Amino acid sequence: RVQPVESGGGSVQAGGSLRLSCVASGYTWCPYDMSWYRQAPGKEREFVSIIDNDGQTKYADSVKGRFTISQDNAKNTKYLQMNSLKPDDTAMYYCKIDLNCGNLWSHYWGQGTQVTVSS
């Protein structure tokens, strides 16, 4: 079983930066994609960014040009660098791993890390 573990959340003022980390602990011998989602109070969980096993990346329009997703394969860790943060970025951020073992996909969510941006 794979367990995503997030860290790096916190409180910053608008315009500030934070870097979130997600470590994939457990069974990671199969290739996997890793994505970030966020959920603000009273809103549905929404996609933020993804990096696949080949290093290809995608971003939500709302974060393009401000957020950068990257990886350190040696550490099984993915990062989300968040710059020029806005109050609208305030949310619980979740790491999701999509594991592909023999073309069989399984999905794992982390517990989340809180990001709060004040104006």
Side-chain angles (χ1 to χ4, degrees):
R1 176 178 175 81
V2 176
Q3 178 61 51
V5 180
E6 306 99 333
S7 62
S11 297
V12 295
Q13 291 190 327
S17 298
L18 285 172
R19 188 177 78 160
L20 305 184
S21 300
C22 179
V23 177
S25 64
Y27 181 79
T28 56
W29 299 315
C30 298
Y32 64 93
D33 301 341
M34 198 284 286
S35 50
W36 288 96
Y37 284 74
R38 66 186 182 186
Q39 188 167 19
K43 295 187 177 181
E44 293 190 353
R45 191 171 296 189
E46 64 175 5
F47 168 78
V48 175
S49 182
I50 186 170
I51 184 165
D52 67 18
N53 190 63
D54 297 322
Q56 300 295 312
T57 60
K58 291 183 182 178
Y59 299 91
D61 289 343
S62 59
V63 306
K64 278 181 183 176
R66 299 188 298 121
F67 291 10
T68 303
I69 194 168
S70 62
Q71 60 188 356
D72 184 337
N73 289 333
K75 296 181 179 179
N76 269 342
T77 302
K78 318 286 185 179
Y79 304 98
L80 185 68
Q81 178 66 43
M82 306 186 296
N83 298 328
S84 302
L85 283 161
K86 306 174 181 179
D88 284 349
D89 295 318
T90 295
M92 185 71 79
Y93 283 69
Y94 297 91
C95 175
K96 177 175 177 268
I97 288 176
D98 301 304
L99 192 70
N100 184 3
C101 288
N103 289 324
L104 184 64
W105 287 91
S106 52
H107 312 283
Y108 305 91
W109 289 91
Q111 293 297 310
T113 184
Q114 178 68 37
V115 171
T116 303
V117 185
S118 58
S119 58

